[in-house]
Amino acid sequence: MPASRSRFLVAALAVACSFAPALAQNLDAISARQQLMKDNGRAAKTAAQMIKGDVAYDPAKADEVFATLHETAVKFGDYFPEDSKTGGKTEAAPAIWDKPDAFKAALAKFQSDTEAAMAKKPQDVDAFKQAFGMVAQNCKGCHQDFRVER
Amino acid sequence: MLKRGLIGLLALVVITAGAFWLLSAPQRLDAAALPAEGSGDAARGERLFWAGGCVSCHAPSSAKGDDRLKLTGGDPLVTDFGTFHAPNISPDPKDGIGAWSLADFANAMQRGVDPEGRHLYPAFPYTSYAHMRPGDIADLFAYLKTLPPVGGRAPDNELAFPFNIRRGLGLWKRAFMDGPGPIAALPADASSAVKAGQYLVEGPGHCGQCHTPRTLAGAGGLDLTHWLGGAPNPEGKGRVPNITPGGSEISAWSQSDIVEYLTSGFTPEFDSVGGAMVEVQQNLARLPDEDRTAIAAYLKAIAPVSD
């Protein structure tokens, strides 16, 4: 009796240990990718404020906006391990794992569009508006297929 | 004894079948109340075309630019009841609706009946389009005739029994087709913008088709006691949000925040529109500013549904 119970305890502990890090890794990946997207949102806000004229146009800030978006585009794809499909209020759609090639293509387009926008170094608000408009199409395009409201 | 029972059963079947046939008969519009053939104005119709979102279902999502206006039928619409394929509605006389009269078109748009008298499935949101003004239907028809005619038919719907019996839709319509008149009760002193928004949202915009829950586990009509109060996503994943003033997210948005969302797709936190709303937003972005302002004014004026 005691022997079998302790065996049971060992087994239970082993299971608990093997779950705990996996669970933690899950939430880490989810919060890391959500943080990247929050940075995207902040960059988009700076962009919109300059386009609307609420804030004076500043080419240095414009460079920063595109650099932030490009950084997200490069890193974002690293945070979708198999064990992060659910949990942590994620809004990632199952399509990310079901159609990996389409998701990779969306990431690649976001990377090349942000890179092209950085290279333009827009000097006035009209040029910036145009460059940002092209980048912003990526937000909708990817959220249409790969994100769900919960 | 047995024979009497059989006759009784047979009689019951005949009566039931007869009642089914009568009750499921197509109901057409009153021909006398329709605008004259050819009276529509295509320029005005374009606005209704974008408000109505016809491209979202009748053009493939892979089509870009002007190809979006080739209405040969869209992506498969996958639902719990089976898969629907929106048909070719380009002005092609053979495969599209080029040979239709205005009366044919109006009966499809507002009664869900095709020229052969067959019922159409409410996956085509005619229960909303039924709220449109007859003159607007004529304008929309005139605009559709200016689009490029393209041949080719969409595949047939793939539906399971009993949903594959079109005649049965007659019963569904009797039970669930909206009555005439506006849906939301607005205060008597509602502004003209709020009223204009009501028409756009309840009629051509068909917002309730996604944002309002349905009765009978999704197979019934819209649950008007929860008008625009949020619903399960018809395409299966996630939820469509509550857009009444009681919605957890939208309650914090000002009227101009809503206008901005419908115009650019950005929320006040600079999150970006997603899911099925992307196509809707891109269609609405083509309307004049006053229409988006009217829609936002209406969404602020309706009764809150709590989340």
Side-chain angles (χ1 to χ4, degrees):
Chain A
M1 221 357 214
S4 73
R5 179 189 281 182
S6 69
R7 251 209 313 276
F8 170 74
L9 268 177
V10 169
L13 260 168
V15 170
C17 291
S18 67
F19 266 120
L23 216 62
Q25 182 203 0
N26 258 337
L27 296 180
D28 283 351
I30 291 169
S31 62
R33 70 193 184 215
Q34 288 179 338
Q35 187 54 50
L36 284 171
M37 278 292 148
K38 288 196 172 95
D39 297 345
N40 258 359
R42 260 195 296 278
K45 181 172 184 175
T46 309
Q49 284 171 336
M50 288 197 287
I51 290 170
K52 286 199 187 125
D54 298 346
V55 171
Y57 182 69
D58 175 350
K61 263 198 199 151
D63 288 350
E64 220 175 286
V65 164
F66 291 137
T68 306
L69 297 176
H70 185 65
E71 193 178 323
T72 313
V74 171
K75 290 188 185 161
F76 194 59
D78 296 344
Y79 297 99
F80 294 89
E82 281 286 324
D83 57 4
S84 70
K85 290 182 184 174
T86 54
K89 293 201 177 147
T90 181
E91 297 190 332
I96 292 176
W97 293 273
D98 298 345
K99 298 181 193 157
D101 293 343
F103 186 57
K104 276 204 198 89
L107 282 169
K109 183 172 179 301
F110 192 32
Q111 286 163 10
S112 58
D113 285 356
T114 46
E115 200 172 314
M118 287 200 308
K120 281 194 187 129
K121 295 209 167 294
Q123 291 305 310
D124 61 50
V125 71
D126 285 334
F128 176 69
K129 187 174 167 182
Q130 209 186 3
F132 182 73
M134 183 185 71
V135 166
Q137 281 302 320
N138 286 271
C139 317
K140 287 180 200 176
C142 187
H143 287 194
Q144 181 169 21
D145 295 332
F146 299 110
R147 182 179 182 201
V148 286
E149 187 108 346
R150 303 240 187 232
Chain B
M1 198 44 205
L2 184 69
K3 205 168 152 197
R4 254 228 314 265
L6 269 180
I7 290 173
L9 192 68
L10 199 72
L12 193 71
V13 168
V14 169
I15 290 168
T16 317
F20 173 79
W21 204 248
L22 282 177
L23 289 172
S24 63
Q27 312 284 321
R28 286 198 171 79
L29 293 165
D30 176 8
L34 291 174
E37 189 72 45
S39 62
D41 175 322
R44 277 199 309 249
E46 181 174 5
R47 183 164 166 186
L48 294 151
F49 177 75
W50 295 115
C54 322
V55 265
S56 305
C57 295
H58 287 279
S61 62
S62 56
K64 296 278 174 278
D66 282 350
D67 281 352
R68 296 287 281 154
L69 297 177
K70 294 181 180 158
L71 304 177
T72 50
D75 295 354
L77 292 166
V78 182
T79 71
D80 287 349
F81 312 105
T83 302
F84 295 95
H85 297 276
N88 184 335
I89 57 162
S90 80
D92 185 80
K94 192 163 83 30
D95 294 332
I97 61 170
W100 288 26
S101 66
L102 174 58
D104 291 337
F105 180 69
N107 276 299
M109 288 288 291
Q110 306 206 280
R111 286 294 175 271
V113 177
D114 82 0
E116 276 94 81
R118 281 181 306 224
H119 291 299
L120 295 165
Y121 285 95
F124 167 29
Y126 55 78
T127 55
S128 297
Y129 298 149
H131 291 276
M132 291 172 68
R133 296 181 199 100
D136 283 355
I137 296 287
D139 292 345
L140 175 58
F141 190 50
Y143 175 72
L144 290 176
K145 288 201 177 249
T146 67
L147 298 178
V150 195
R153 287 189 166 261
D156 287 339
N157 298 329
E158 298 133 54
L159 307 174
F161 179 83
F163 304 113
N164 57 350
I165 303 177
R166 279 191 187 267
R167 185 80 189 197
L169 287 168
L171 300 183
W172 184 92
K173 286 186 194 171
R174 262 180 195 275
F176 302 120
M177 192 88 185
D178 293 353
I183 294 171
L186 294 173
D189 60 352
S191 69
S192 58
V194 169
K195 286 182 188 143
Q198 174 163 44
Y199 178 69
L200 287 166
V201 168
E202 297 181 1
H206 68 280
C207 319
Q209 299 285 339
C210 293
H211 285 279
T212 304
R214 287 176 185 278
T215 57
L216 290 185
L222 299 181
D223 172 6
L224 299 184
T225 60
H226 290 89
W227 176 240
L228 301 181
N233 189 335
E235 283 151 47
K237 283 172 243 89
R239 274 188 72 75
V240 184
N242 180 341
I243 54 170
T244 71
S248 57
E249 206 180 333
I250 207 171
S251 55
W253 298 11
S254 68
Q255 184 171 318
S256 58
D257 288 339
I258 300 177
V259 173
E260 178 63 32
Y261 178 81
L262 301 176
T263 310
S264 71
F266 281 119
T267 73
E269 304 83 48
F270 284 88
D271 195 343
S272 161
V273 58
M277 191 62 198
V278 172
E279 293 241 3
V280 177
Q281 183 269 319
Q282 287 177 331
N283 292 335
L284 295 177
R286 295 176 176 255
L287 297 177
D289 278 335
E290 62 186 276
D291 286 351
R292 284 181 299 270
T293 304
I295 291 173
Y298 168 81
L299 292 182
K300 280 282 169 194
I302 55 176
V305 172
S306 56
D307 247 353

